[in-house]
């Protein structure tokens, strides 16, 4: 048997054989992977409806609304992204203590450079 981390408790493995790890699929999926899986699912559903396979013909008004749907979703995602960035920028917290510490470091560096003969 193989446990997480690749450490086996069973018989010794042969040199050169791969070490297996027990990792759940949910733990291995990154946020990018989740987004790509969701986009693939939505894209395949859209393509299945837009290509109109035999036996599945959408009425005209639904088809006209379905075809530009990816563009509408892309514009909506862009608006959401801009709104999120704007909100986060507007609510960004100032760190007065860190700013004061940075000013002290800058002054110390300037004093050190002046002591070494560099004029600022």
């Amino acid at each position: 048997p193989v446990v997480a981390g690749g450490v086996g408790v069973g018989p010794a493995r042969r040199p050169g054989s791969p070490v297996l790890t027990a990792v759940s699929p949910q733990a291995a999926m990154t946020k990018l992977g989740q987004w790509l899986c969701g986009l693939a699912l939505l894209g395949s559903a859209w393509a299945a409806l837009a290509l109109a396979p035999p036996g599945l013909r959408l009425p005209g008004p639904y088809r006209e609304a379905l075809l530009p749907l990816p563009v509408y979703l892309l514009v909506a995602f862009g608006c959401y992204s801009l709104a999120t960035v704007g909100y986060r920028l507007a609510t960004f917290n100032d760190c007065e203590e860190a700013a004061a510490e940075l000013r002290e470091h800058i002054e110390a560096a300037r004093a050190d450079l002046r002591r070494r003969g560099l004029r600022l």
Side-chain angles (χ1 to χ4, degrees), residues 50-71:
L51 295 176
L56 181 65
R57 186 76 179 160
L58 291 176
Y62 292 123
R63 187 165 169 79
E64 289 176 11
L66 180 70
L67 291 178
L69 187 62
V71 176

Side-chain angles (χ1 to χ4, degrees), residues 79-93:
C79 292
Y80 171 76
S81 298
L82 281 174
T84 301
V85 168
Y87 174 75
R88 299 262 169 95
L89 186 62
T91 60
F92 187 74
N93 293 332

Side-chain angles (χ1 to χ4, degrees), residues 3 54 75 106 111:
V3 294
V75 169
I106 291 172

Side-chain angles (χ1 to χ4, degrees), residues 7-48:
V7 179
V9 268
R13 64 181 184 90
R14 291 179 293 176
S17 64
V19 176
L20 300 175
T21 58
V23 177
S24 68
Q26 291 82 13
M29 178 144 333
T30 63
K31 200 61 161 173
L32 175 64
Q34 291 173 356
W35 275 97
L36 291 177
C37 284
L39 286 174
L41 182 66
L42 288 174
S44 60
W46 175 82

